[in-house]
Amino acid sequence: MLETWFMEDEYAKLIRRMNPPRVTIDNSSSADATIIQVESVNKPGILLEVVQVLTDLNLVITKAYISSDGRWFMDVFNVKQRNGNKVRDEGVISYIKKVLESDAFYVPSLESSVGLKSSLDYTSIELAGADRPGLLSEVCAVLADLSCNVVSAEIWTHNARAAAVVNATDDMTGCAIEDPDRLLTIKNRLCNVFKGNNDLKTAKMTLSPPGSMHRERRLHQIMFADRDYEKVEHEDVTGLKAEVSVLDCVEKDYTVITMRCKDRPKLLFDTVCTITDMQYVVYHGVVHTGKMEAYQEYYIRHVDGIRISSEAERERVMKCLEAAIERRTSEALELELCAEDQVGLLSEITRIFRENSLCIKRAEISTENGIAKDTFYVTNTTGDGPVDPRTIDSIRKQIGKHTALDARWNLSPQKPTREETTMSYLFGHFFKFPIG
């Protein structure tokens, strides 16, 4: 069995060497977007690999056409920079070609990646448990009390669950924390914080083993494992709830997934990541974004080549994709903080937020060249009303004049009319098959 696998792997490598990936970047064919075409021998996870590279460069994917049936993969992406301009930076263009044409670049599969990253520079901690107001503040307070400095982190909340990936160092040495007894103390203290009073699920804290994993993909996996897709029923007051359908294409032996929702950055990554980690393969697909809405359509099968066959599996896929879309979607006040980094800064800032009745729905923490650059998405404690501007003024006074704090609302527009939305079943005329 092992010998057969080795021979197949070597054969796949030979085919890739004979047919190296080709990336074409075109700035002349479209009036308002850069067109990136990727052609390659097909391999597991290649679609996620490409989308991840473009997303990590903060590029906005406005259209995509996906085809990977058989042994060949060919995708076309229309992309823009966040400011709406084409991609003209030669350094960025060269990087895209270099990375995507490299045979060594790949995205690890779910099975081969248990954690994030083990580094001599920091200790990587994964957390999952019940969400509640003030949770991040308590986590930061515990880490500060245990002489841990947070150098970077990302925190998501969804459906009353919370997940975090935190990279921390020892206050004194500035290096990773390695003492087993100290690590056990950190684990026990953080598990107590994440457990919650009425949480029927066990809080989880993991020190990531050696290996590499994209942080945002790992957060999706943590929340998926914590079953955040199991709905906490609440009214959709925005009218912008994601519409997800899972149908059969019996004639072509595919399952067809369609998604319609409010457009936002990294949406394509979130859905493709979830489809991949649920062990499905996208054979054909199309993505189109309008002024306010995004439409995605994928023709999939399970990795074993079988389409979705049961109603239970169909419902699970729908719930998981809805969750993937919602994890980064919230009507919240976005607070961007910039300050000289110091030990305990994050603990102090989150304490001030908590004492001013702000609830952190999502956060991105980073430190670069001694400067802390943090983004928080916050609501009031009930989550159903705007944050009082006087509260922000009070917070600015409390954090001091040497810390910059910018605020802007991350509001959803009104639900678009059917005329403004994107066209449904864009591949219908191409395949010409009945869906049932």
Side-chain angles (χ1 to χ4, degrees):
M1 185 72 177
L2 181 61
E3 182 179 353
T4 301
W5 174 86
F6 177 77
M7 291 177 63
E8 289 178 349
D9 186 58
E10 289 301 307
Y11 177 71
K13 290 180 180 177
L14 174 62
I15 294 297
R16 286 197 295 272
R17 284 196 295 268
M18 293 173 62
N19 300 275
R22 296 194 299 271
V23 178
T24 304
I25 300 179
D26 176 9
N27 267 316
S28 59
S29 297
S30 171
D32 60 356
T34 298
I35 299 176
I36 300 176
Q37 179 171 308
V38 182
E39 297 176 82
S40 170
V41 172
N42 202 4
K43 62 179 180 178
I46 188 171
L47 175 60
L48 176 58
E49 171 184 316
V50 175
V51 171
Q52 182 174 301
V53 169
L54 300 179
T55 301
D56 285 349
L57 289 169
N58 286 322
L59 299 180
V60 178
I61 300 172
T62 58
K63 293 180 183 179
Y65 303 93
I66 300 156
S67 179
S68 60
D69 211 344
R71 293 185 175 272
W72 198 252
F73 169 92
M74 188 182 78
D75 281 10
V76 179
F77 300 90
N78 286 27
V79 304
K80 299 179 182 180
Q81 298 182 83
R82 288 286 181 91
N83 60 12
N85 294 334
K86 292 184 178 184
V87 183
R88 298 190 183 277
D89 187 308
E90 287 299 326
V92 173
I93 291 173
S94 175
Y95 174 83
I96 294 171
K97 290 179 65 67
K98 179 180 178 181
V99 171
L100 295 183
E101 290 180 346
S102 170
D103 186 57
F105 184 83
Y106 77 105
V107 178
S109 67
L110 177 60
E111 289 82 6
S112 66
S113 303
V114 182
L116 264 171
K117 184 177 180 181
S118 181
S119 169
L120 296 176
D121 298 328
Y122 56 77
T123 298
S124 188
I125 302 169
E126 298 175 356
L127 297 160
D131 185 30
R132 66 178 185 280
L135 177 62
L136 180 57
S137 175
E138 293 179 40
V139 169
C140 294
V142 165
L143 291 174
D145 185 57
L146 295 173
S147 301
C148 303
N149 185 43
V150 177
V151 293
S152 65
E154 192 154 352
I155 299 91
W156 290 1
T157 65
H158 178 247
N159 272 346
R161 310 304 298 171
V165 175
V166 180
N167 295 330
T169 60
D170 180 276
D171 276 355
M172 298 296 294
T173 65
C175 298
I177 302 161
E178 298 179 341
D179 180 69
D181 292 335
R182 188 176 175 194
L183 291 173
L184 181 60
T185 300
I186 293 171
K187 180 174 182 176
N188 291 336
R189 290 277 299 274
L190 289 178
C191 278
N192 286 336
V193 169
F194 255 74
K195 185 176 181 180
N197 295 329
N198 301 310
D199 190 15
L200 299 179
K201 299 180 182 179
T202 304
K204 299 173 185 176
M205 184 276 197
T206 304
L207 295 172
S208 300
S212 178
M213 170 58 73
H214 189 270
R215 186 166 70 186
E216 293 171 350
R217 184 182 184 192
R218 187 63 189 138
L219 281 164
H220 276 299
Q221 292 178 353
I222 293 170
M223 299 209 83
F224 173 78
D226 203 35
R227 302 178 72 88
D228 74 312
Y229 53 85
E230 294 180 341
K231 290 292 185 182
V232 175
E233 294 300 330
H234 55 80
E235 184 181 1
D236 178 28
V237 296
T238 66
L240 289 164
K241 176 178 167 58
E243 299 175 14
V244 181
S245 68
V246 180
L247 304 172
D248 288 328
C249 168
V250 179
E251 184 178 331
K252 298 294 183 179
D253 199 27
Y254 291 120
T255 295
V256 185
I257 295 176
T258 63
M259 288 170 278
R260 189 190 300 276
C261 63
K262 175 194 172 186
D263 191 26
R264 61 165 175 78
K266 302 188 178 183
L267 176 63
L268 181 58
F269 170 81
D270 292 339
T271 54
V272 171
C273 175
T274 299
I275 291 171
T276 303
D277 282 342
M278 290 186 74
Q279 302 296 294
Y280 295 102
V281 177
V282 175
Y283 288 86
H284 300 280
V286 64
V287 176
H288 184 80
T289 60
K291 293 181 179 179
M292 294 178 287
E293 190 184 51
Y295 177 80
Q296 301 175 70
E297 182 173 294
Y298 301 112
Y299 294 73
I300 71 162
R301 296 189 190 116
H302 194 265
V303 290
D304 59 10
I306 306 300
R307 59 186 170 88
I308 294 175
S309 57
S310 71
E311 189 60 31
E313 185 181 6
R314 192 187 315 276
E315 287 292 325
R316 182 168 176 266
V317 169
M318 289 174 61
K319 289 180 179 179
C320 290
L321 286 171
E322 287 172 1
I325 292 168
E326 292 169 359
R327 286 170 191 147
R328 281 201 254 216
T329 302
S330 63
E331 293 201 350
L333 179 65
E334 182 178 342
L335 298 177
E336 291 187 350
L337 180 142
C338 184
E340 183 177 345
D341 188 37
Q342 55 183 304
V343 174
L345 174 65
L346 187 58
S347 176
E348 179 68 12
I349 294 298
T350 53
R351 177 189 63 79
I352 292 172
F353 286 175
R354 186 189 72 233
E355 292 177 351
N356 282 273
S357 300
L358 294 186
C359 182
I360 298 173
K361 309 302 291 184
R362 190 158 57 90
E364 300 169 10
I365 311 301
S366 63
T367 307
E368 185 176 351
N369 298 323
I371 301 297
K373 296 180 179 180
D374 305 336
T375 302
F376 303 91
Y377 299 86
V378 303
T379 64
N380 58 24
T381 50
T382 61
D384 59 1
V387 176
D388 192 326
R390 291 173 296 183
T391 300
I392 305 304
D393 292 337
S394 174
I395 290 173
R396 284 195 175 103
K397 292 177 182 178
Q398 292 177 64
I399 63 178
K401 62 182 180 180
H402 298 296
T403 301
L405 184 68
D406 295 326
R408 63 173 177 268
W409 276 104
N410 182 32
L411 291 173
S412 296
Q414 292 184 347
K415 187 175 180 64
T417 64
R418 184 55 57 181
E419 287 74 19
E420 293 173 307
T421 60
T422 50
M423 184 174 62
S424 178
Y425 294 104
L426 295 179
F427 270 178
H429 297 294
F430 179 75
F431 282 113
K432 295 188 182 299
F433 58 78
I435 295 178

